[in-house]
Amino acid sequence: AVGTDRKTSILFSTKIEAEFVEPSLIFSKKALNFVYNWQKDAAPERLSQNLTITCPGPLPMNFSLFTEAPFYASPNNFSLLPKKSCTVKVDFDPSIRQSRVSGKITDKLHVKHLKHPKNETYELLAEFCYPNLSLSTSTVDFGAVMNDTSKKCYIVMTNISNIACEYEWHFVDEGQDVTLNEVFDILPLRGTLDPAVEEKIEFSYYAVPFKSFHLTAVCKVIGGPDYFVKINAEASDVAYSLSFPKNKNFLDAGDVPL
């Protein structure tokens, strides 16, 4: 106010502008994809890939990387200046899968920015490839077979992997009182099946008089899992009886041409 004038006057004004920069990173690839192919007589080894991370903004960025097994990142703490890049090595450890069943997993590389609530994620993919089979059935049931005769049943075995399967069949002795190989047989007993190829497996059974069997056959695949087939079989005589009409003890065959 000037003198007795009580009116308020604006002496000057200042325009204030601010730009908020949200932290963001650029990755050299959209995702990292690892593929492990089993090899005979070779222990699983870690697979590694490099990933380049760039700071595209006008401010430096401080961030940390986090992963979960079977993925590992190193180093995992970074201070990145504007327009600069860094390289991180990402490892995949295939030995974590003990089942030796082929499959895929998906996980994330987590990026946590220092002193900022924003988090980023980056996709990690991995595929396990083992020699794997598919069986058309897991049970072979011979039913009741006449004593001292034989019967055959069949299943279809398919190589569903991209690796040749070396296999061999065995019987699991579950306390039987006979030698199983003298009662049952599998053909072919062993062999190699190329990828996407099918093979017909023959199971044969010799009916030991009045014996029943409940056992398991296992197909062992080198480098892959075991496959189990339950087998049920029994042997018996043919039993029959004749019944006659009342007051008759013979069969009337009717007229039989000479």
Side-chain angles (χ1 to χ4, degrees), residues 138-256:
S138 60
T139 303
V140 172
D141 193 345
F142 287 95
V145 180
M146 191 165 58
N147 289 337
D148 294 315
T149 64
S150 62
K151 183 178 178 179
K152 296 178 180 179
C153 292
Y154 299 89
I155 68 171
V156 176
M157 187 166 67
T158 307
N159 184 344
I160 57 173
S161 62
N162 60 1
I163 303 171
C165 291
E166 296 182 55
Y167 67 88
E168 184 170 3
W169 287 92
H170 299 270
F171 292 112
V172 179
D173 189 351
E174 299 175 347
Q176 306 290 343
D177 58 356
V178 298
T179 303
L180 294 178
N181 289 333
E182 294 177 358
V183 180
F184 296 94
D185 197 10
I186 302 176
L187 292 174
L189 189 64
R190 62 182 62 87
T192 300
L193 203 58
D194 289 330
V197 174
E198 291 184 351
E199 189 166 36
K200 196 174 184 179
I201 305 298
E202 176 187 286
F203 288 74
S204 60
Y205 163 58
Y206 174 74
V208 178
F210 304 109
K211 290 283 187 179
S212 63
F213 297 90
H214 303 282
L215 65 146
T216 301
V218 56
C219 180
K220 292 185 172 292
V221 178
I222 297 178
D226 292 342
Y227 298 88
F228 299 92
V229 175
K230 293 290 185 182
I231 300 176
N232 301 311
E234 61 178 298
S236 64
D237 262 340
V238 175
Y240 60 89
S241 62
L242 296 176
S243 61
F244 297 93
K246 191 175 181 181
N247 300 325
K248 289 187 178 181
N249 58 0
F250 63 90
L251 293 176
D252 187 356
D255 294 333
V256 179

Side-chain angles (χ1 to χ4, degrees), residues 11-12 34 42 45 54 74 112 127 132 149 154 179 187 235 253:
L11 299 180
F12 64 89
F34 297 87
E45 295 183 353
T54 302
S74 64
K112 183 174 179 57
E127 182 177 1
N132 283 184
T149 64
Y154 299 89
T179 303
L187 292 174

